[in-house]
Amino acid sequence: MRIDLHAHSAISDGTDTPAGVVLRARDLGIDVLALTDHDTFDGLPEALACGTTVGVRVVRGVEVSCTLLGSSVHLVGYGPREEDEDLAEELRRIRQGRSGRVPAMLAKLHQLGYPLTMAEVEAQVGDSPSVGRPHIADALVAKGFFPDRNAVFDSLLADGGPAFVDRYAPDVRHALRLLRAAGAATVLAHPWGRGSRRVLDETVLASLAHDYGLDGIEVDHTDHDESTRAELRAIAERVGLLVTGSSDYHGAGKRDNELGCNLTDPLVFHALMDVVSTRGGRP
Ligand code: AMP
Ligand code: FE
Ligand code: FE
Ligand code: ZN
């Protein structure tokens, strides 16, 4: 069984429609696919309907943008009750923070010699309920300033980069409480990707697991090399965390993240779905 538990559609910052992601999963022989758009559930109905039609099991997911000790950390929830008002309210707040600082980033870009209008950014947003850095990057690519999204992040938009402006994100411990209360199983996405290793050492991971009920960590991910994966696997074993593997597919928006490039063990998937059932979520 091929199980991929982390993928994005154009409802956040991927480039395929939700149904398009599911169709691609079917074409690649994937049996179980979680749609985990950033901070929104808006893509789930279309993905679930398409999955029913083409025979791919679609899992409800969301990737919540969080912080821990000043670093950006991503927490994936599986099977939340989307109507949970506390979770929905927090996701709205995150989305508003993301969109709200776009004018400040456009001002910085202007000063740096990359003039860009809000209309040019909005042309890249599609059906996403918030506007973020990936859309700004796409607009700069569309104007011919850079060859692809990654190049824009590398020169301008990465955390702390010359055109970066910070935004609201909840502490990961608060997001863990909200997701669990909404019935979700929780997995830290790419815990040692992009500098978050500094804040997510074994002591912190153990505390998130034992004191805040974190269920797993995403170990097999393109942001982790082989030795990183081995270290994380050993920590997960000692601390008692489930280990997942996923693509973090973004369509044309990310290199090296094809659907199914990393997979999750079926036993782990079933353990996660058992957690969702126990918490009253939607497996
Ligand atoms: P935002 O929510 O507007 O701050 O944008 C964050 C999103 O941009 C993340 O969810 C990633 O998809 C993407 N992103 C962040 N940092 C990088 C990076 N260094 N390289 C490529 N994509 C990135
Ligand atoms: Fe993303
Ligand atoms: Fe992420
Ligand atoms: Zn992701």
Side-chain angles (χ1 to χ4, degrees):
M1 205 163 47
R2 287 166 62 76
I3 302 170
D4 186 340
L5 294 181
H6 186 165
H8 297 267
S9 75
I11 299 298
S12 65
D13 57 341
T15 54
D16 302 357
T17 63
V21 179
V22 176
L23 292 174
R24 189 176 184 88
R26 191 263 325 261
D27 292 346
L28 292 168
I30 290 164
D31 306 286
V32 179
L33 175 82
L35 184 70
T36 56
D37 278 319
H38 296 287
D39 312 302
T40 177
F41 301 129
D42 286 5
L44 295 179
E46 179 183 317
L48 286 158
C50 182
T52 304
T53 306
V54 304
V56 173
R57 174 160 176 195
V58 173
V59 176
R60 292 176 164 78
V62 62
E63 183 174 15
V64 183
S65 310
C66 305
T67 56
L68 185 62
L69 304 170
S71 265
S72 167
V73 167
H74 288 179
L75 180 65
V76 175
Y78 297 111
R81 281 175 275 103
E82 293 123 76
E83 69 278 15
D84 182 280
E85 200 33 58
D86 293 334
L87 178 59
E89 175 63 34
E90 188 64 25
L91 296 180
R92 264 196 298 277
R93 192 171 169 202
I94 297 170
R95 293 196 301 266
Q96 279 163 9
R98 167 179 295 119
S99 301
R101 94 312 195 179
V102 169
M105 285 199 284
L106 294 186
K108 282 193 167 187
L109 284 168
H110 192 87
Q111 288 211 317
L112 291 161
Y114 299 98
L116 198 59
T117 65
M118 197 62 202
E120 287 168 325
V121 177
E122 268 159 10
Q124 304 297 326
V125 174
D127 292 325
S128 169
S130 63
V131 188
R133 285 182 281 166
H135 307 114
I136 294 177
D138 290 349
L140 289 168
V141 172
K143 272 193 115 167
F145 286 125
F146 292 90
D148 58 30
R149 201 187 266 185
N150 287 74
V152 187
F153 271 93
D154 291 348
S155 344
L156 297 172
L157 291 180
D159 291 14
F164 172 71
V165 176
D166 209 356
R167 61 173 165 77
Y168 170 75
D171 187 283
V172 69
R173 291 160 290 196
H174 181 54
L176 277 165
R177 272 193 289 272
L178 287 172
L179 282 169
R180 284 164 51 90
T186 54
V187 171
L188 265 183
H190 41 74
W192 285 3
R194 284 191 209 134
S196 44
R197 179 174 186 151
R198 183 180 65 78
V199 294
L200 290 170
D201 61 15
E202 178 162 356
T203 310
V204 171
L205 288 170
S207 165
L208 293 179
H210 303 150
D211 305 327
Y212 297 92
L214 175 70
D215 299 301
I217 54 176
E218 188 179 65
V219 170
D220 290 312
H221 184 283
T222 39
D223 286 359
H224 297 152
D225 62 20
E226 278 311 319
S227 67
T228 301
R229 295 180 192 202
E231 278 184 77
L232 281 171
R233 228 180 278 283
I235 291 175
E237 172 93 16
R238 288 194 289 270
V239 168
L241 283 163
L242 296 168
V243 164
T244 66
S246 299
S247 65
D248 204 357
Y249 178 70
H250 281 67
K254 238 181 196 182
R255 296 188 288 248
D256 308 326
N257 295 69
E258 179 58 274
L259 278 177
C261 66
N262 289 293
L263 296 169
T264 293
D265 189 300
L267 290 174
V268 171
F269 171 62
H270 288 122
L272 286 169
M273 292 302 106
D274 286 347
V275 168
V276 176
S277 298
T278 307
R279 282 191 192 138
R282 300 231 174 83

